[in-house]
Amino acid sequence: MKAIAATTYGGPDVLRELDLPTPEAGPGEVRIRVHAAAVNPTDALLRGGAYAARTTDVPPPYVPGMDAAGVIDQLGPGADGRLRVGQRVVALVVPAGPRGAYAEQIVVPAESVVPAPAGTDHAEASTLLMNAATARLALDTLALPKGATVAVTGAAGAVGGYAVELAKADGLTVVADAAPHDRDLVRGFGADHVVDRGADVAARVRELAPDGVPGLVDGSDQREEAVPAVADGGALVALRGWQGPAGRGGTVTPVFVASVRDDTALLDTLRLQAEEGVLSLRVAKVLPASDAAEAHRLLEAGGLRGRLVLDFS
């Protein structure tokens, strides 16, 4: 089968089209014929070697990709009875060596697979799970009561946009940041207040909430710059492993989406919310899988609104 992989860590050009053995679904697993794989910042980190220390016992090739959409073509023994061969599905994939989403066929735990949102094509469906699950995990970690205020940095991005939409669905008041050209986009997600993005975003949040906000989702990875926006005793959720400190009795909690990859109920709820229009599926551009290196260059250039998607059809 065709896969996009790296045999060494490095820049986008280390990604190559390789012919790898077709995987077989084992007990409790599902094999998916992938039609689309979304390209996420985590994929670039894996390709560049950011996680090399965690995978010293995993030989190359390294296949990136955490979001896949396609059709089930094999069920392993004891696989979840919810699923069937021929069903259109999406999967949250945790790469391990050759087991990433950038491949024509992937094998994943059945728990990580849910039906594709009705009314979506493969490219749209592939953009859902990783980022929406990260946003859901971030908000669940904050555990703010209905009516409370949450701040979201990076609100025009994939995780940030979903965090705004999910927070509104939870009944929270949302203060979000945006560049001038993204203000309407972020308001469209449901943000109650939009402040200018940048290094002094915390001061702008404090203009609206002088005592600070009880919770903040740091979608733009601003870390120390974002902390002053949080009230004394409040909480910040970090998405790239940062652990603080927060000061003033506050907490910083890093979240990792791999921790919910087997939470089928959470993943299926996100699927339903996409069907209901609570979550917006945004595709920036679809490229042939063979253009994965170009997709990574576009990703690292920044400025995308929506996800890049690799087509494996």
Side-chain angles (χ1 to χ4, degrees):
M1 66 163 189
K2 178 175 74 176
I4 304 300
T7 56
T8 185
Y9 296 120
D13 289 337
V14 302
L15 293 173
R16 295 282 189 274
E17 186 174 315
L18 300 180
D19 187 19
L20 299 181
T22 299
E24 299 292 327
E29 294 180 328
V30 172
R31 188 174 71 193
I32 300 170
R33 169 59 174 94
V34 175
H35 289 271
V39 178
N40 290 292
T42 302
D43 305 349
L45 292 172
L46 184 151
R47 182 212 74 224
Y51 306 131
R54 306 180 197 172
T55 57
T56 54
D57 58 341
V58 179
Y62 307 111
V63 178
M66 297 189 70
D67 271 316
V71 177
I72 293 175
D73 70 359
Q74 186 183 56
L75 295 174
D80 197 325
R82 315 172 285 116
L83 305 170
R84 67 182 188 279
V85 171
Q87 185 176 14
R88 289 186 64 244
V89 293
V90 288
L92 178 58
V93 184
V94 177
R99 287 200 173 198
Y102 291 9
E104 287 182 319
Q105 289 172 297
I106 62 171
V107 168
V108 292
E111 293 87 351
S112 303
V113 180
V114 295
T120 63
D121 60 27
H122 290 301
E124 292 166 336
S126 75
T127 67
L128 174 63
L129 286 185
M130 180 198 167
N131 291 295
T134 301
R136 181 70 270 163
L137 180 58
L139 291 168
D140 289 349
T141 299
L142 291 175
L144 298 175
K146 187 174 181 179
T149 298
V150 64
V152 179
T153 67
V159 174
Y162 283 145
V164 173
E165 292 180 324
L166 289 172
K168 289 306 299 176
D170 290 349
L172 301 178
T173 296
V174 179
V175 179
D177 71 347
H181 58 276
D182 285 326
R183 280 181 165 268
D184 289 343
L185 174 69
V186 172
R187 287 193 185 99
F189 295 149
D192 298 281
H193 307 282
V194 181
V195 301
D196 288 341
R197 62 178 294 186
D200 54 354
V201 65
R204 294 184 179 119
V205 172
R206 286 269 181 169
E207 289 174 4
L208 294 169
D211 294 330
V213 293
L216 184 145
V217 178
D218 191 16
S220 55
D221 196 34
Q222 289 187 246
R223 304 187 179 195
E224 293 92 347
E225 292 176 353
V227 165
V230 179
D232 293 359
L236 180 149
V237 171
L239 309 183
R240 296 284 181 87
W242 187 59
Q243 299 183 48
R248 295 178 289 107
T251 60
V252 173
T253 304
V255 297
F256 301 96
V257 73
S259 68
V260 296
R261 76 165 185 174
D262 296 334
D263 190 338
T264 309
L266 182 152
L267 301 180
D268 202 47
T269 296
L270 297 173
R271 183 264 302 182
L272 290 170
Q273 289 181 304
E275 290 183 353
E276 295 163 356
V278 173
L279 295 172
S280 305
L281 305 182
R282 296 183 289 152
V283 176
K285 186 176 183 179
V286 179
L287 297 90
S290 57
D291 287 349
E294 175 62 15
H296 276 230
R297 282 190 286 270
L298 291 171
L299 177 72
E300 293 183 337
L304 295 169
R305 294 297 171 256
R307 291 264 68 85
L308 297 164
V309 177
L310 300 179
D311 181 4
F312 283 88
S313 298

